[in-house]
């Protein structure tokens, strides 16, 4: 039987969160951090631990079938690679930054300036679209030191918290794009492996849906059930269970994490009481 070959970053934050996602999907990985390839006992999958920057080329060549990789890296290096699913972790942005003594945030500051970056294609396309002509210096590694050693007037790099910029006397000015981890697919996937991939994506969606949702229980006067139900749009219909106390019912449903407090306020305004919130492990729709 064929096995789906999946690439993940061999170290760092993306490595840890990728393995956690697979674990949440019920896929248990043998300890193999120091190996290039490890097997999975309970799912038709092999995992390859690769350098993050190498993953797009491995996908292009069909050496791996899918990968968990930063969206920003695919934009930079993986033109022919299909993104299947955004995963909601390892969020960052690709931004321009300048020495903190530079007062302007305007993009025009970079006209005719030198910019150091590890994302030359992303930067070049952005500047061309904005009508800015700059001298791009490609650097692998510590881009942040370039202005301090006189190599560049600013940088273009990934930014998460911004602490690295701050430590190097830089500040963020213009965001080129926002990024997060994604599940990406080779253009050379066989039909047999497509079936395995569909099963993996099904599990991932169930996990992500659960993380973005909460199970909610509340007591509601019977005359308020219709109004309260209209506030709960996630499932087809809430579950309504009569209580021992006459004239009251318990309503069970699911709410989106993003609208959590907004929904709670609306429920209270419409008569809901004794509201309980419970995390969801998996959610299959």
């Amino acid at each position: 039987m064929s096995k789906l070959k999946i690439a993940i970053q061999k170290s760092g934050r993306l490595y840890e969160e990728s393995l956690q996602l697979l674990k949440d999907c019920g896929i248990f990985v043998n300890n193999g951090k120091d190996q290039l390839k490890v097997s999975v006992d309970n799912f038709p999958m092999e995992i390859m631990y690769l350098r993050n920057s190498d993953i797009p080329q491995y996908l292009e060549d069909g050496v791996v079938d899918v990968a968990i990789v930063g969206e920003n890296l695919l934009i930079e290096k993986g033109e022919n690679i299909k993104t299947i699913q955004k995963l909601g972790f390892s969020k960052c942005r690709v931004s321009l930054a300048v020495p903190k003594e530079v007062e302007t945030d305007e993009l025009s500051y970079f006209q005719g300036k030198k910019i150091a970056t590890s994302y030359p294609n992303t930067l070049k396309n952005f500047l061309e679209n904005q009508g800015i002509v700059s001298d791009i210096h490609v650097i692998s590694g510590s881009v942040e030191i370039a202005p301090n050693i006189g190599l560049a007037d600013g940088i273009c790099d990934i930014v998460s918290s911004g602490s690295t910029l701050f430590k190097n006397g830089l500040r963020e000015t213009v965001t080129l794009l926002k990024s997060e981890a994604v599940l990406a697919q080779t253009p050379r996937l066989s039909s047999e492996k497509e079936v395995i991939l569909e099963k993996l994506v099904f599990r991932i969606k169930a996990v992500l849906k659960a993380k973005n949702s909460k199970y909610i229980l509340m007591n509601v006067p019977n005359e308020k059930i219709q109004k309260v139900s209209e506030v709960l749009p996630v499932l087809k219909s809430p579950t309504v269970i009569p209580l021992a106390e006459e004239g009251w019912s318990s309503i069970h449903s699911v709410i989106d994490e993003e609208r959590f407090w907004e929904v709670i306020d609306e429920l209270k305004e419409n008569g809901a009481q004794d509201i309980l919130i419970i995390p969801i492990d998996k959610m299959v729709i």
Side-chain angles (χ1 to χ4, degrees), residues 219-239:
N219 296 329
V220 179
N222 288 343
E223 66 271 16
K224 299 284 189 178
I225 290 176
Q226 182 61 38
K227 287 187 176 180
V228 167
S229 298
E230 292 171 357
V231 181
L232 300 166
V234 173
L235 298 179
K236 292 182 178 68
S237 175
T239 300

Side-chain angles (χ1 to χ4, degrees), residues 116 139 141-152 155 168 170:
I139 295 179
S142 302
V143 176
E144 306 85 12
I145 67 170
N148 290 331
I149 62 176
L151 182 62
I155 69 167
N168 286 276
L170 303 174

